[in-house]
């Protein structure tokens, strides 16, 4: 009997539950059916979700979901565009795979802060795309919380600011250049005023001293004293003359001057005086390089630069004087003052001396700026060079690295003969890179980006590294069809990078680039003599031509220069014959600095 009672109770309970469920679902059905507001709200919510998804999908920024363990859980189309990985490829991978070792440490730090509940972390850092291209990124990271309010991951928004950073850097360089030009202008005015007043005072001193010398005839002691006064006045006259040259207040007699001849004269002069510890090399151009200038002043430029070079090499070294023609595209940022695009006559003076740090190099053209001990230098040598060059409507720049050496480049308007004009017009278009992979190694990040952009624009696929180790890692991972490397880099030289790569790919073409002149690097054996070389600064056209000659088969070979124009370079045995003639070509152009 109690069993039957229990059974009846269970049945009753089940019936009650069933009735409840039926009632609840019927009510919900009726409510939804009957109440259009609920249906509308549902539809609105769905539309809002779809819109949010579309916004996330179509934004230019990368929107990435990351789990607390650092695995990628969401990857929008912006992320695909910026990094080159598809969502299928990257969801499930570690977010740190986008960074290098310094970025990895930084990401762990950010993950810890997010896990602790910090929100909206914003910072800038470098990430890398699938093909190794660096991406300058602005990141914003916020925690994602689940319905219980617990942190379950992070939402990362990454904006690619590579182009904006480049533009800002360029703008900064332009402002710096303008500032420098203004400083030189006001220094010029100041120095000009001082020199003018000094000349008047010195004229009085010199003339009255001469009168006194006449009067003192027979009085040896007095004559001797007056001679000292006269000598000191002469030195002062010399100084003011240099100052006037800087301010362009000097009288000059310009005429056609062949830089090759000027080089030969200065070589004869220096050969006797510069000292046996200096190995003096001159590299004239194969053709005459004519400028319209005062011949005495051209000599003065070369002598001032050569004397500075000698002073920078107290224990000996190599001094190379070169003359040639070079093209500028007008966009160069290191020229003082800026020059419009065109082909110019150029003098290069390079040494293997102590070099100078950037803060010294920035000020060397200012009058009276010297790092030499008192009595050893007046600081007027380069100010004079600057004055002469700008007076002749030219410009100059300097490339220097402490402990390695210095190259000064002087650009002067070229007096062109009709043949020369014709030759300049016939410019061959560079060949298309056809997707060939170039591994670029350049420790200066801004320059690395410029080179990457030029090569990508020329149809190459580019892998960029800012150091030797990184380059070798990229090479092992992706391989390449050519190596374009800086010569002097802090950790591993370009030559060493090439050597390691050649162990597995001996035939791989290598193009070296450097701010030092090819004459200097070749003659001082920083590089072997049989290398392909392009001198910084170079134009996009020159780089693409030079690289194309090496890696694109069937390209006509550039005419090999005469021995005098490219003394240090001869064909590399490891390269194809089409490339080897071109390697010897003297690459003397401008833009990327
Ligand atoms: N080739 C060089 N290598 C290293 N430093 C250099 C070189 N040329 C110039 N400098 C630096 O630039 C400074 C300015 O040079 P500048 O020729 O104007 O004056 P100076 O040589 O010191 O004196 P002055 O030429 O009047 O006797 C030098 O003191 C030196 O620090
Ligand atoms: Mg000097």
């Amino acid at each position: 009997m109690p069993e039957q009672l229990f059974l009846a109770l269970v049945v009753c309970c089940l019936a009650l539950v069933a009735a409840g469920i039926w009632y609840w679902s019927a009510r919900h059905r009726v409510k939804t059916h009957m109440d259009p507001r609920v249906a509308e709200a549902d539809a609105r919510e769905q539309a809002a979700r779809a819109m949010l998804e579309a916004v996330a999908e179509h934004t230019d920024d990368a929107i990435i979901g990351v789990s607390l363990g650092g695995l990628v859980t969401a990857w929008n189309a912006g992320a695909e565009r910026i990094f080159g990985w598809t969502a299928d490829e990257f969801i499930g991978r570690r977010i740190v795979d986008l960074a290098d070792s310094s970025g990895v440490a930084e990401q762990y730090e950010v993950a810890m802060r997010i896990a602790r509940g910090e929100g909206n972390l914003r910072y800038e850092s470098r990430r890398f795309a699938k093909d190794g291209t660096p991406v300058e990124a602005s990141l914003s990271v916020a925690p994602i919380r689940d319905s219980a309010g617990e942190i379950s991951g992070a939402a990362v928004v990454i904006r690619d600011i590579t182009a904006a950073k480049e533009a800002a850097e360029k703008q900064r360089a332009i402002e710096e250049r303008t500032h420098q030009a203004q400083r030189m202008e006001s220094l010029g005015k100041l120095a000009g005023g001082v020199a003018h007043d000094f000349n008047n005072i010195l004229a009085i001193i010199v003339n009255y001293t001469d009168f006194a010398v006449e009067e003192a005839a027979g009085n040896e002691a007095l004559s001797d004293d007056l001679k000292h006064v006269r000598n000191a006045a002469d030195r002062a006259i010399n100084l003011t003359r240099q100052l006037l040259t800087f301010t362009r207040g000097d009288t000059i007699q310009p005429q056609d001057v062949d830089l090759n001849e000027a080089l030969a004269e200065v070589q004869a002069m220096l050969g006797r005086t510069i000292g046996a510890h200096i190995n003096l090399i001159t590299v004239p151009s194969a053709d005459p390089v004519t400028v319209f200038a005062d011949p005495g002043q051209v000599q003065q430029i070369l002598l001032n630069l050569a004397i500075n070079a000698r002073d920078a090499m107290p224990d000996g070294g190599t001094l190379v004087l070169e003359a040639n023609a070079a093209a500028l595209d007008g966009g160069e940022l290191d020229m003082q003052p800026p020059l419009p695009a065109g082909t110019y006559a150029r003098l290069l003076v390079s040494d293997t001396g102590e070099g100078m740090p950037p803060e010294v190099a920035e000020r060397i053209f200012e009058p009276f700026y010297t790092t030499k001990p008192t009595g050893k230098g007046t600081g007027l040598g380069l100010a004079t060079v600057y004055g002469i060059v700008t007076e002749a409507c030219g410009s100059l720049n300097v490339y220097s690295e402490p402990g390695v050496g210095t190259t000064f480049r002087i650009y002067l308007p070229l007096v062109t003969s009709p043949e020369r004009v014709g030759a300049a017009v016939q410019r061959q278009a560079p060949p298309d890179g056809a997707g060939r992979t170039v591994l670029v190694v350049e420790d200066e990040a801004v320059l690395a980006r410029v080179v990457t952009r030029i090569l990508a624009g020329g149809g190459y696929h580019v892998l960029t590294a800012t150091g030797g180790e990184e380059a070798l890692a990229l090479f092992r991972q992706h391989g390449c069809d050519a190596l374009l490397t800086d010569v002097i880099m802090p950790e591993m030289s370009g030559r060493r990078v090439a050597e390691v790569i050649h162990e597995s790919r001996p035939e791989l073409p290598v193009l070296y680039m450097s701010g030092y002149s090819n004459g200097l690097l070749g003659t001082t054996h920083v590089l072997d003599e049989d290398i392909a070389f392009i001198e910084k600064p170079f134009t996009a056209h020159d780089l693409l031509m030079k690289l194309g000659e090496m890696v694109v088969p069937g390209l006509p070979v550039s005419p090999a220069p005469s021995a005098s124009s490219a003394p240090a370079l001869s064909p590399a045995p490891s390269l194809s014959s089409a490339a080897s003639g071109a390697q010897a070509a003297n690459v003397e152009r401008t833009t990327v600095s």
Side-chain angles (χ1 to χ4, degrees):
M1 201 47 190
E3 279 168 10
Q4 282 170 346
L5 203 62
F6 176 71
L7 213 62
L9 253 169
V10 169
V11 170
C12 277
C13 285
L14 282 175
L16 266 172
V17 168
I21 290 172
W22 177 84
Y23 173 75
W24 182 84
S25 58
R27 191 166 175 266
H28 180 74
R29 262 203 314 275
V30 168
K31 199 175 166 205
T32 328
H33 218 66
M34 300 298 290
D35 189 348
R37 284 173 304 174
V38 175
E40 257 175 43
D42 277 357
R44 268 205 307 274
E45 193 183 319
Q46 268 179 21
R49 271 183 196 285
M51 179 53 76
L52 196 63
E53 264 173 36
V55 169
E57 205 51 22
H58 289 95
T59 174
D60 278 346
D61 296 343
I63 300 180
I64 304 169
V66 185
S67 72
L68 277 183
L71 297 182
V72 171
T73 53
W75 185 262
N76 75 339
E80 289 190 2
R81 269 193 302 277
I82 293 176
F83 295 108
W85 298 95
T86 64
D88 281 349
E89 284 172 328
F90 214 74
I91 288 180
R93 286 185 67 142
R94 300 170 326 145
I95 185 75
V96 289
D97 292 349
L98 294 178
D100 61 8
S101 51
S102 65
V104 169
E106 169 196 273
Q107 284 193 20
Y108 279 126
E109 154 95 30
V110 168
M112 300 288 281
R113 290 174 61 187
I114 288 290
R116 283 201 300 268
E118 283 187 52
N120 283 332
L121 306 179
R122 288 169 198 279
Y123 59 103
E124 287 183 7
S125 189
R126 179 175 295 166
R127 297 289 177 263
F128 294 86
K130 186 179 181 182
D131 62 4
T133 313
V135 177
E136 299 303 331
S138 161
L139 296 100
S140 157
V141 188
I144 300 175
R145 292 179 188 272
D146 61 18
S147 51
E150 294 296 321
I151 294 170
S152 60
V156 184
V157 179
I158 300 181
R159 176 159 295 180
D160 181 355
I161 53 167
T162 312
K165 265 200 142 169
E166 268 170 23
E169 265 160 31
K170 188 156 191 200
Q171 184 58 29
R172 195 197 48 73
I174 289 171
E175 278 165 16
E176 170 63 26
R177 189 176 71 176
T178 313
H179 179 70
Q180 177 78 4
Q182 284 166 348
R183 202 166 56 186
M184 294 302 277
E185 192 67 40
S186 46
L187 277 170
K189 281 189 189 137
L190 182 75
V194 171
H196 180 260
D197 287 358
F198 251 75
N199 264 348
N200 290 343
I201 298 167
L202 284 167
I204 298 167
I205 295 174
V206 167
N207 284 304
Y208 277 98
T209 312
D210 288 347
F211 296 152
V213 169
E214 276 173 28
E215 294 288 320
N219 182 341
E220 218 164 283
L222 185 59
S223 292
D224 220 36
D225 289 351
L226 288 171
K227 218 184 276 165
H228 286 298
V229 176
R230 190 64 167 81
N231 283 346
D234 281 346
R235 273 171 50 207
I237 288 172
N238 215 12
L239 274 181
T240 44
R241 187 167 300 142
Q242 285 187 64
L243 258 187
L244 276 176
T245 312
F246 168 66
T247 62
R248 291 175 252 160
D250 215 8
T251 38
I252 52 164
Q253 289 169 341
Q255 60 190 69
D256 278 0
V257 178
D258 180 5
L259 294 185
N260 282 344
E261 282 170 20
L263 222 58
E265 280 165 21
V266 169
Q267 185 188 23
M269 224 181 282
L270 288 174
R272 293 190 299 271
T273 54
I274 197 139
H277 63 310
I278 308 281
N279 175 23
L280 175 66
I281 295 167
T282 51
V283 185
S285 168
D287 304 313
V289 195
T290 310
V291 298
F292 190 66
D294 185 307
Q297 290 201 329
V298 173
Q299 266 191 15
Q300 205 180 345
I301 293 175
L302 286 165
L303 286 174
N304 284 7
L305 294 176
I307 291 166
N308 280 349
R310 179 205 62 193
D311 293 348
M313 299 187 287
D315 301 325
T318 300
L319 167 61
V320 186
L321 308 178
E322 296 166 74
N324 49 44
L328 294 180
D329 71 5
E332 296 77 14
L333 290 175
D334 57 350
M335 301 296 286
Q336 292 199 45
L339 271 191
T343 302
Y344 291 85
R346 187 167 69 160
L347 283 171
L348 296 96
V349 178
S350 310
D351 65 66
T352 54
E354 60 206 15
M356 43 189 143
E359 61 275 14
V360 170
E362 232 165 61
R363 301 194 52 197
I364 51 175
F365 299 117
E366 291 175 13
F368 302 114
Y369 178 80
T370 180
T371 57
K372 293 173 186 169
T374 319
K376 290 274 184 222
T378 59
L380 279 174
L382 289 177
T384 307
V385 170
Y386 180 89
I388 295 172
V389 171
T390 49
E391 168 84 25
C393 302
S395 181
L396 72 172
N397 66 26
V398 60
Y399 182 85
S400 186
E401 219 154 317
V404 182
T406 302
T407 293
F408 281 92
R409 290 179 175 79
I410 314 291
Y411 295 83
L412 295 168
L414 189 62
V415 176
T416 42
S417 61
E419 312 88 76
R420 210 178 246 289
V421 174
V425 170
Q426 296 166 11
R427 283 234 304 194
Q428 208 184 340
D432 186 69
R436 285 178 177 78
T437 301
V438 182
L439 175 55
V440 176
V441 198
E442 167 61 64
D443 61 329
E444 190 131 345
V446 185
L447 186 51
R449 278 204 294 278
V450 177
V451 170
T452 304
R453 187 173 276 193
I454 291 174
L455 295 185
Y460 291 93
H461 177 239
V462 190
L463 302 172
T464 316
T466 49
E469 289 298 347
E470 190 187 344
L472 294 177
L474 279 175
F475 175 72
R476 281 184 214 108
Q477 209 178 341
H478 304 279
C480 66
D481 300 309
L483 171 69
L484 171 63
T485 178
D486 193 8
V487 179
I488 292 152
M489 294 182 288
E491 281 154 20
M492 191 187 287
S493 72
R495 180 188 181 154
R496 182 70 198 132
V497 176
E499 275 170 6
V500 176
I501 289 181
H502 276 159
E503 281 167 16
S504 57
R505 289 275 308 278
E507 83 300 345
L508 189 95
V510 179
L511 176 58
Y512 292 95
M513 50 185 171
S514 177
Y516 298 102
S517 75
N518 54 1
L520 181 78
L521 289 172
T523 48
T524 53
H525 306 290
V526 174
L527 291 174
D528 284 342
E529 295 197 356
D530 55 356
I531 48 102
F533 181 86
I534 186 161
E535 191 183 310
K536 295 181 209 163
F538 44 74
T539 59
H541 179 270
D542 291 325
L543 178 60
L544 292 174
M545 255 344 249
K546 187 82 183 159
L547 200 65
E549 285 161 358
M550 294 173 62
V551 298
V552 181
L555 186 84
V557 181
S558 319
S562 71
S564 62
S565 65
L569 304 176
S570 57
S574 61
L575 296 172
S576 71
S577 58
S580 47
Q583 286 165 54
N586 202 3
V587 187
E588 303 285 351
R589 297 277 198 279
T590 316
T591 256
V592 180
S593 55

